Amino acid sequence: MGEFDKVLTALRRQFHQQPELGFAEHRTKACVAERLRQLGLEVYEGVGVIGVLKSGGGNRAIGLRADMDALPIHEIADHDYVSQNAGVMHACGHDGHMTMLLGAAEILAQSRDFEGTVVFIFQPNEEHGLGAQAMIAEGFLERFELEEIYAIHNLPGAPVGQVSTRPGQICASESLFEITLKGQGGHASMPHVGVDVITVGAEMVLALQTIVSRKLAPSSGAVVSVTEFITDGQRNVLPGLARLKGDVRARLPQDRLALERFMRQITSGIAAAHGITVEMSFDTEFIETQNAKTPTEAVVRVARALQLETVADRPPMSFSEDFAHFSAAIPGCFLLLGNGESGAHGQPLHSADYDFNDALLPIGAAFWAELVRDRLPSRKTANV
């Protein structure tokens, strides 16, 4: 392991030991900002942290984004850099994403072999789909007029360093719903006297599953999941109040709108049939992530030039990504970088025994640097 690799590994493990939740990344932000300043970048601190590196006289600018927040998960691991913040863990690899981007900033700050401006974006609160919008509301788009924007996410289960992406839709939207049922509870021995909501709610849970299986095309990739069923019932008390909560994923905006419409039809219809009242909320925090053609072609070209295993048209991912709000405003590309196929590196994202693969750090840093050279070529390089 070279000296640069050792520095990146130590930094990543430092981030891993000190995880912080969304919008509470205080120590993390301070560390990122300090390192960017040490590298000689202009640093802007607000909702997130932004480092700006300029080289030559070019007026073109691109953005590279990493996420900073951790998850409310208790880590189960036996390595010597486990989380020191009880109940909080970098279980999605954001510690590695930050480190790779800081590594790229160091490479480019030393080489200056590009022409234009690179904006290094360290975003808070990706996990709840709120960080990108907060940065945009703060004026990010107006302050930094970017031509393109890019983001990397590690992918457990894929070979180390494998680059996979696709043009068009790459990640699904996520919408959270809550259905409130109000009926008439009563004694468990006399269900005929009222209308208990647990029976009606169970009927709704099953009926909601027919949306994907019977109302959308089999290839839609949509998912409707009821994740909570809460009532005010007791051992011998039939409930009169219930709440169903859950999660909806969609690959296309029109499918997301159709899912909401069908859900409202089903819940209101079943409620009317049983003579109870129903209210439903449907809130979309993550929109669908779209990759633009030219940035995606650049990612594939650079990956192949670096001789990384490359999948240029991978299937869309079912998970959601806050980067969607950036790529909806700026042509961009979201790509996956293989984290490994075995051990903690192959465990699913958000698992208590997952870990980012340190072998990926120099690969990701080198990829970022080469992408900048591709998108912002120096005049000297271009004339060779």
Side-chain angles (χ1 to χ4, degrees):
M1 183 185 292
E3 191 60 34
F4 182 62
D5 297 9
K6 291 179 181 178
V7 169
L8 293 184
T9 296
L11 179 60
R12 201 283 295 186
R13 294 182 178 185
Q14 176 185 331
F15 283 136
H16 190 88
Q17 286 183 303
Q18 301 294 335
E20 296 173 297
L21 298 176
F23 289 146
E25 306 96 334
H26 308 302
R27 180 170 180 163
T28 303
K29 289 170 63 178
C31 179
V32 168
E34 177 61 24
R35 192 162 188 86
L36 292 172
R37 289 192 179 97
Q38 290 173 352
L39 295 173
L41 277 68
E42 299 174 34
V43 178
Y44 301 86
E45 295 182 72
V47 174
V49 179
I50 296 170
V52 178
L53 180 63
K54 300 178 181 179
S55 180
N59 59 5
R60 298 183 60 225
I62 65 171
L64 311 178
R65 189 221 69 169
D67 30 23
M68 299 188 293
D69 55 323
L71 287 154
I73 295 174
H74 178 76
E75 182 173 12
I76 52 171
D78 58 2
H79 52 67
D80 59 2
Y81 51 90
V82 296
S83 170
Q84 296 177 3
N85 188 356
V88 181
M89 175 191 174
H90 271 299
C92 203
H94 296 184
D95 49 348
H97 300 168
M98 288 186 284
T99 306
M100 290 190 295
L101 193 53
L102 287 169
E106 181 172 348
I107 293 170
L108 292 168
Q110 292 175 352
S111 66
R112 305 275 178 161
D113 51 353
F114 63 96
E115 190 91 10
T117 301
V118 186
V119 178
F120 297 88
I121 306 156
F122 294 85
Q123 177 206 313
N125 207 338
E126 188 280 327
E127 294 292 353
H128 291 102
L130 301 174
Q133 294 180 84
M135 294 186 77
I136 291 170
E138 193 178 46
F140 170 80
L141 297 178
E142 294 75 25
R143 186 168 197 171
F144 304 98
E145 297 181 1
L146 304 179
E147 292 186 9
E148 298 169 355
I149 191 165
Y150 298 84
I152 285 175
H153 203 295
N154 77 96
L155 183 61
V160 177
Q162 181 196 72
V163 173
S164 63
T165 189
R166 72 189 313 273
Q169 189 265 336
I170 179 76
C171 294
S173 62
E174 180 186 27
S175 303
L176 303 179
F177 66 85
E178 182 169 332
I179 302 164
T180 301
L181 311 178
K182 296 179 181 179
Q184 177 60 60
H187 200 288
S189 68
M190 296 181 287
H192 61 286
V193 175
V195 183
D196 75 279
V197 290
I198 202 164
T199 305
V200 181
E203 186 176 335
M204 285 185 185
V205 171
L206 294 176
L208 289 174
Q209 302 310 306
T210 67
I211 297 174
V212 172
S213 65
R214 290 295 181 268
K215 297 182 182 297
L216 296 180
S219 59
S220 70
V223 180
V224 176
S225 295
V226 177
T227 58
E228 297 181 70
F229 194 143
I230 307 162
T231 79
D232 62 350
Q234 299 294 329
R235 170 181 168 179
N236 61 349
V237 179
L238 292 170
L241 177 68
R243 287 187 177 87
L244 305 180
K245 297 182 180 182
D247 182 284
V248 172
R249 307 287 172 138
R251 294 180 180 176
L252 298 173
Q254 56 266 37
D255 285 345
R256 169 164 43 90
L257 295 173
L259 284 162
E260 180 181 3
R261 186 174 68 254
F262 289 136
M263 289 179 70
R264 292 189 183 278
Q265 289 176 352
I266 287 171
T267 55
S268 62
I270 292 175
H274 290 278
I276 68 168
T277 62
V278 64
E279 296 176 356
M280 178 181 140
S281 63
F282 188 97
D283 300 312
T284 299
E285 295 184 338
F286 294 85
I287 60 174
E288 299 79 11
T289 307
Q290 300 287 336
N291 280 348
K293 180 175 182 291
T294 298
T296 304
E297 290 174 344
V299 163
V300 171
R301 179 171 60 251
V302 168
R304 287 174 174 165
L306 292 174
Q307 298 184 331
L308 299 174
E309 182 181 343
T310 308
V311 181
D313 193 17
R314 67 157 300 115
M317 304 300 297
S318 61
F319 64 64
S320 305
E321 175 47 67
D322 198 23
F323 181 72
H325 294 286
F326 286 132
S327 62
I330 307 165
C333 180
F334 179 81
L335 62 130
L336 290 306
L337 201 56
N339 193 57
E341 301 170 277
S342 61
H345 307 143
Q347 292 298 95
L349 297 171
H350 296 200
S351 296
D353 54 350
Y354 157 88
D355 192 24
F356 186 90
N357 192 339
D358 289 326
L360 197 55
L361 297 171
I363 297 173
F367 174 86
W368 274 140
E370 193 59 31
L371 181 66
V372 169
R373 299 182 187 113
D374 179 274
R375 304 313 296 144
L376 303 175
S378 68
R379 295 173 187 175
K380 181 178 179 181
T381 303
N383 291 332
V384 173

